[in-house]
Amino acid sequence: MRHEFEISHRQENEWTIVEIRGEADMYTAPRIREHVFDRIRAGHHRLILDLLGVQFMDSTGLGALVGIRNLIAPHGGELRLAINHPGIRRIFAITGLHHVFPIYETVDLAKAAQ
């Protein structure tokens, strides 16, 4: 089974925005971790994960996000999520992770939040 998946990043002022499209699951979570960990190791500690193009996320995808958060925390970094898919937002609410991650409807709102 082939999963459509894309990951890229761009710099916008002090924010590194990592855009993920497709599914965040057991097949793609290692690629997500590797891509974001590379950004952190390069000194980018203010990250917005653009999950607007993610249609499905399983526990492995959630675990990857928690791992990213744990890696960035010792650097005094910040991790924000942009999620507008109701099903994905519901996963964060059910698991209580909406208390752990700041979640915004758009990347622009995530960048502008104080």
Side-chain angles (χ1 to χ4, degrees):
M1 179 180 214
R2 183 172 170 251
H3 294 270
E4 290 189 29
F5 176 80
E6 295 176 24
I7 188 166
S8 61
H9 68 276
R10 66 187 183 276
Q11 198 65 34
E12 290 189 18
N13 298 319
E14 73 273 12
W15 291 102
T16 300
I17 299 162
V18 178
E19 183 178 359
I20 300 167
R21 297 206 170 279
E23 298 183 355
D25 59 15
M26 65 185 279
Y27 301 104
T28 61
R31 290 175 59 193
I32 294 169
R33 275 192 301 270
E34 179 181 337
H35 191 94
V36 177
F37 285 7
D38 285 347
R39 306 287 74 74
I40 295 168
R41 283 190 289 269
H44 302 274
H45 300 138
R46 297 193 79 201
L47 301 173
I48 297 172
L49 297 187
D50 176 350
L51 303 174
L52 301 176
V54 173
Q55 300 89 28
F56 175 80
M57 182 176 290
D58 69 7
S59 61
T60 313
L62 286 174
L65 300 184
V66 171
I68 291 164
R69 181 184 177 276
N70 292 343
L71 184 64
I72 204 168
H75 298 284
E78 191 171 356
L79 176 62
R80 298 178 180 181
L81 308 179
I83 304 171
N84 63 1
H85 189 287
I88 305 296
R89 289 180 76 98
R90 187 165 187 266
I91 291 168
F92 282 83
I94 289 170
T95 59
L97 288 173
H98 66 294
H99 295 296
V100 175
F101 293 100
I103 300 173
Y104 303 89
E105 288 281 330
T106 68
V107 171
D108 286 339
L109 289 173
K111 288 189 303 188
Q114 295 299 320

